[in-house]
Amino acid sequence: MKLQIIGVLFCCVFLVSCNNDKEILNNLNDYNLSMESKGYHFGDAVEIPKEVTDNAESISISFGDKETSKLVIDPKYFTLGDNAVTFNIKKKGGEVLTQDATINVFAKNPEAVLHYEVVKEYPHDPKNFTQGFELEGNIVYESDGQLGESRILKYTLGTTNAIAETRQAEDIFSEGCTIVGDKIFQLTWRNKKIFVYDKNSLKLLNEFPNPNVMGEGWGLAYDGKNFIASDGTKNLYFLNSTDPSKMVRYIAVAGNSEAYDQLNELEYHQGFIYANVWQKPVVLKINPANGEVVGKFDFTDIAKENTKDVTNDVLNGIAFKGDNMLITGKLWSKIYEVSIK
């Protein structure tokens, strides 16, 4: 009889404990979900609900192999954009509860709406599946994608006839490109290769493997010291210009109320990174120090004239002609020169 009573009491205590654990995790989950769209800024405190803290001896947040008990959005642990984390709640009895969550971190300052005016139009070969787009002097250097059709080419702005070109093997899908001195560097999509060409002849000189941290190759730019590469995520990677298979650092990109992923074609100009977002008619102006979007161009009107298929013929080309910007897209028949107001 005594054993039966002890068993019943144990079951009751166990059920109460389980219900209490469930309530703790539900309260934490409700709080985290409410904060996902609102987001945090660096320096903000993570305000854990009282129903959780009253039952906790300690609370920490882990990020894979890193962990902190400082419940503040600290750039030492968090990046801009979405952060996959795990909350670890050590109860006063010693038991540890865990819960996965997403913490979005946004830039403190709203991004400026950047205005422009179209001042000139140039022809662009509508067969070009533009992935990389550069201008030096009056010469356009372009990387075109698609399996079996990928190539690097150069032509005079205002014409569409190639001065020189190098075609890729059938299994190569070319992506972004950038100029460094007398060479052109070109990313590939899933081939894990970076090609190096002579700028004048476009003769292939060398190749490097992509850094392992990059899943794919999308956009490429050069800031005078390092390469800047995108891989279709929220991240931009700074690569060693002598050996681009080595990553120097990376930043994540976000605005005041929105995280941006699928960052694609890139350009570096006067201290800022310019990036278009795949399948969106926008170009972001990004602070390279921290990934903060400080301004945004909306090219909807131009894109409408050229985009019939929102999957393929989308905005994807940024270059600078002095202080003016050149933009084009995949399979577009025009290059637009715009003055920035």
Side-chain angles (χ1 to χ4, degrees):
M1 185 67 178
K2 287 182 179 178
L3 289 176
Q4 289 179 331
I5 293 172
I6 292 171
V8 170
L9 289 173
F10 175 80
C11 288
C12 290
V13 170
F14 179 77
L15 289 172
V16 168
S17 177
C18 287
N19 287 334
N20 186 45
D21 291 352
K22 186 176 180 181
E23 184 178 349
I24 291 170
L25 293 176
N26 283 342
N27 279 300
L28 181 60
N29 185 60
D30 289 345
Y31 168 73
N32 285 328
L33 289 176
S34 73
M35 290 300 296
E36 271 196 41
S37 58
K38 181 180 178 182
Y40 296 88
H41 301 103
F42 287 125
D44 287 351
V46 181
E47 303 286 353
I48 304 295
K50 188 173 184 296
E51 293 83 357
V52 178
T53 57
D54 283 350
N55 290 278
E57 179 181 301
S58 64
I59 300 173
S60 67
I61 302 175
S62 57
F63 314 71
D65 59 348
K66 297 186 295 183
E67 186 172 357
T68 177
S69 57
K70 186 180 178 182
L71 302 180
V72 174
I73 305 302
D74 185 340
K76 181 179 178 181
Y77 298 98
F78 294 88
T79 68
L80 287 173
D82 59 306
N83 295 262
V85 305
T86 299
F87 282 88
N88 309 293
I89 305 160
K90 183 179 180 182
K91 295 175 63 180
K92 293 176 180 178
E95 182 186 357
V96 177
L97 306 178
T98 62
Q99 184 175 90
D100 294 335
T102 298
I103 290 181
N104 285 319
V105 182
F106 300 133
K108 282 192 174 182
N109 301 312
E111 49 266 51
V113 177
L114 302 176
H115 300 282
Y116 65 91
E117 178 184 1
V118 177
V119 295
K120 197 167 183 178
E121 297 178 4
Y122 305 91
H124 181 252
D125 191 334
K127 297 189 295 294
N128 290 3
F129 199 76
T130 308
Q131 300 289 77
F133 189 68
E134 290 285 311
L135 181 74
E136 185 175 79
N138 206 38
I139 302 299
V140 176
Y141 297 83
E142 187 169 325
S143 173
D144 292 344
Q146 299 286 44
L147 294 174
E149 300 177 16
S150 288
R151 60 179 178 160
I152 187 88
L153 71 153
K154 58 191 279 191
Y155 54 90
T156 302
L157 182 65
T159 75
T160 58
N161 298 320
I163 299 169
E165 70 171 69
T166 296
R167 293 191 170 271
Q168 310 292 4
E170 295 288 312
D171 66 329
I172 297 293
F173 196 120
S174 296
E175 287 281 348
C177 67
T178 195
I179 300 169
V180 182
D182 59 357
K183 296 181 177 64
I184 300 283
F185 290 74
Q186 180 190 45
L187 281 179
T188 54
W189 182 31
R190 291 176 172 170
N191 303 92
K192 297 288 188 180
K193 294 179 179 181
I194 303 171
F195 294 120
V196 187
Y197 304 89
D198 174 77
K199 184 176 68 177
N200 295 317
S201 65
L202 298 188
K203 178 184 177 181
L204 182 63
L205 301 175
N206 199 359
E207 66 177 62
F208 292 88
N210 277 8
N212 291 331
V213 69
M214 289 176 58
E216 299 176 349
W218 284 42
L220 191 65
Y222 179 62
D223 66 3
K225 182 179 179 181
N226 296 308
F227 293 108
I228 307 167
S230 63
D231 64 351
T233 66
K234 67 173 183 174
N235 295 328
L236 295 176
Y237 305 90
F238 291 75
L239 312 181
N240 185 297
S241 59
T242 303
D243 182 357
S245 65
K246 296 178 180 178
M247 186 184 75
V248 177
R249 67 184 180 97
Y250 79 96
I251 56 173
V253 174
N256 180 249
S257 61
E258 182 179 359
Y260 294 96
D261 62 358
Q262 296 192 316
L263 301 172
N264 202 354
E265 218 271 318
L266 305 175
E267 185 72 17
Y268 183 86
H269 181 69
Q270 294 185 353
F272 291 95
I273 302 167
Y274 292 81
N276 78 274
V277 180
W278 186 51
Q279 297 185 336
K280 291 186 178 180
V282 300
V283 170
L284 309 177
K285 182 179 181 180
I286 302 163
N287 183 339
N290 57 16
E292 178 180 352
V293 177
V294 298
K296 181 163 66 173
F297 292 95
D298 185 346
F299 290 114
T300 297
D301 291 341
I302 292 176
K304 280 181 180 177
E305 295 180 16
N306 298 274
T307 302
K308 305 297 184 290
D309 176 358
V310 296
T311 302
N312 290 313
D313 46 347
V314 294
L315 173 69
N316 201 50
I318 311 165
F320 276 87
K321 185 175 184 286
D323 291 329
N324 289 349
M325 181 188 291
L326 297 181
I327 62 165
T328 190
K330 304 177 184 183
L331 310 177
W332 285 20
S333 62
K334 292 180 181 179
I335 297 169
Y336 297 85
E337 180 177 344
V338 303
S339 63
I340 299 170
K341 296 183 174 181

